[in-house]
Amino acid sequence: MPSLARTSPLFSFFVKAPLPLIFRRSGSHCRPLLQCRASFCTSPQLHHVSLGSFYMEKRIRFGTLAMSPESSAPVANPMSSRAKKKARRESPEGILRYKLDMCSKDGDIVEALRLYDEARSSGVQLSQHHYNQMVMDKVKPNEATFTSAARLAFAAEDPEMAFDLVKQMKSNGIPPKLRSYGPVLFGFCNKGEVVRAYEVDAHMVESGIMAEEPELSALLKVSSDAKKGNKVYEILHRLRSTVRQVSESTAGIVEDWFKSEAAAKVGKEHWDVNKVEEGIVKAGGGWHGQGWLGTGSWKVTRTQMDETGVCQSCSDKLVCIDIDPKETENFATSLASLACQREAKADFVRFQDWLQEHGPFDAVVDGANIGLINNHNFKFSQLRSVVYQLREMSPSKRLPLVILHRHRITDRLAQIPRNKKLLASWQESGALYATPAGSNDDWYWLYAAVSCKCLLVTNDEMRDHLFQLLGTSFFPRWKEKHQVRLSVSKEEGLALSMPPPYSNVIQESKNGSWHIPTVTGDDFETPRQWLCATRTKI
């Protein structure tokens, strides 16, 4: 790949420039790469276009009518919507768009330049999206334009140029996204330019962008490599609040830090015990934020917690971190708002009114999920067993609320006499709610459990798109403290797995030890793997 200095015209990006300032190096000279203007065909024509090894006969169409090359009379366009989408996707412009997207993601500048040269020589019309990889004459750039250019700057190992592009976004009134900052932050971190990486981090915060695990992991590594103990401490707490359980790659960076000489040199030999205790109480448990406690080297091990939350390596007991009741109320309100946007509002409001009249409950059961665990067909006997187990566990000995879709209580299996009698008894007790046709019952059982502040019985891992809408801050904490899972085996029959008595989140103890949960073993049947770091001398 040719060396691209920051002053190279390749990345010149003047928004108001009348002509594109995109050039390609050729020996010791620079020649214009793109200097074209959008044009429109005013008459029907048939032509061949080449893009790499792709040849296609392309007919120019207008609106829903097509002009036959043999006649000037318009003919009806018989193409379906799906056929039109396929034609656009397989057109030269569509293929160019896809290939340039791949070049941007892979940082392949040379291939992007080759594709542009080939497209221009072949007469392929370039749209705004095509110019999101390079600047186009008289087309206003958007966030994707700047981000794609920043990715190319990253590929050229020029994070300064990438940072300039993000700053230009803000100055031109285009809000940057997290992906806009990625090339800048990773570029500086890769080069070990720790001060510049911190500047980018501060710029992200100023723009209201929250770093996620990849960004925090990069900051953690560059801080560890630079022996910035205070920054490592800060970033660990940011991981605690935003990520909770870390990936294996991040766990490796944390492990390397605790094993380093720099980690052994940071910390307090004496500290105010009262302040540490106050910090833990104020934080709701699990951390104090008073800085590194203790001195000397660390013992670092991979371990597990027993069922009560005791570390099998250091014997520290993890805590269950409190959830602010106000947070739960706010979450229930936002959940209802989302549900009303995606469900028939009248149906969901009717459910809220019903819940207000018949609730609260000690537990809510995702009926469809429980009835299908380990079964091809829905099993009412399995659901019945779980419901009555929960009633026995309930302080009030009340039946839990069972949420079932309407078709589950009207289909063939539900009409079997014993099942019909069971459903009727639950309905009479106000313990069954049938969600209406066309609804997603996930909204109903989740809202009921959150608003009743009770247990939720389901093996649904709640990871699909619906649950991603709920965010990564409160929802994982709520789920951890309220979800009950079911295991089914021939040996033990049905067994309910209650929420753990401790929180699966990075924890900092009052004596200075750390416990970092990983996503390894992130299954209720497989013990979660933890990283335990304690001072060898406390």
Side-chain angles (χ1 to χ4, degrees), residues 361-363 387-388 391 394 397-401 425-426 429 431:
F361 295 88
D362 294 328
V387 166
Y388 290 118
R391 184 179 67 176
S394 168
K397 302 301 179 185
R398 185 182 180 188
L399 286 170
L401 170 61
S425 69
W426 289 350
S429 301

Side-chain angles (χ1 to χ4, degrees), residues 58 62 79 180 295 429 454 499 505:
K58 176 173 177 287
F62 298 86
M79 294 179 70
S180 311
T295 57
S429 301
C454 68
V505 63

Side-chain angles (χ1 to χ4, degrees), residues 11 48 63 122 201 239 278 322:
F11 294 112
H48 292 272
S122 302
D201 185 36
L239 281 168
E278 289 172 7
D322 295 338

Side-chain angles (χ1 to χ4, degrees), residues 238-264:
R238 289 171 67 182
L239 281 168
R240 175 192 55 77
S241 62
T242 59
V243 178
R244 295 175 64 78
Q245 300 99 36
V246 303
S247 65
E248 183 56 36
S249 60
T250 302
I253 295 171
V254 176
E255 189 171 16
D256 289 343
W257 158 255
F258 281 113
K259 289 181 177 180
S260 69
E261 291 183 6

Side-chain angles (χ1 to χ4, degrees), residues 184-330:
V184 191
L185 185 63
F186 298 139
F188 284 126
C189 287
N190 290 349
K191 286 177 171 285
E193 297 187 30
V194 63
V195 174
R196 300 293 282 142
Y198 295 159
E199 287 181 22
V200 177
D201 185 36
H203 202 274
M204 291 171 62
V205 173
E206 182 186 330
S207 301
I209 303 297
M210 179 178 290
E212 296 181 356
E213 184 174 4
E215 294 76 27
L216 292 173
S217 185
L219 285 167
L220 185 67
K221 186 177 188 312
V222 76
S223 299
S224 178
D225 291 345
K227 303 178 181 179
K228 302 284 188 181
N230 289 339
K231 290 297 291 187
V232 171
Y233 184 85
E234 172 198 322
I235 295 164
L236 279 175
H237 276 298
R238 289 171 67 182
L239 281 168
R240 175 192 55 77
S241 62
T242 59
V243 178
R244 295 175 64 78
Q245 300 99 36
V246 303
S247 65
E248 183 56 36
S249 60
T250 302
I253 295 171
V254 176
E255 189 171 16
D256 289 343
W257 158 255
F258 281 113
K259 289 181 177 180
S260 69
E261 291 183 6
K265 293 178 180 179
V266 298
K268 307 170 184 177
E269 189 171 352
H270 305 285
W271 58 87
D272 189 326
V273 175
N274 291 330
K275 280 191 175 181
V276 170
E277 292 283 0
E278 289 172 7
I280 290 174
V281 172
K282 185 177 180 180
W287 65 284
H288 51 75
Q290 301 299 306
W292 300 111
L293 303 183
T295 57
S297 60
W298 297 79
K299 177 186 175 183
V300 188
T301 57
R302 298 292 182 110
T303 187
Q304 298 172 4
M305 303 295 148
D306 71 11
E307 61 183 12
T308 66
V310 173
C311 175
Q312 296 183 19
S313 175
C314 71
S315 298
D316 271 2
K317 184 177 176 63
L318 299 187
V319 302
C320 186
I321 299 171
D322 295 338
I323 291 180
D324 185 345
K326 187 63 178 177
E327 284 187 283
T328 303
E329 292 177 15
N330 293 339

Side-chain angles (χ1 to χ4, degrees), residues 286 318-319 321 502-509 513-516:
L318 299 187
V319 302
I321 299 171
Y502 59 92
S503 297
N504 286 309
V505 63
I506 295 174
Q507 296 200 21
E508 174 192 34
S509 75
S513 63
W514 286 76
H515 291 88
I516 296 94

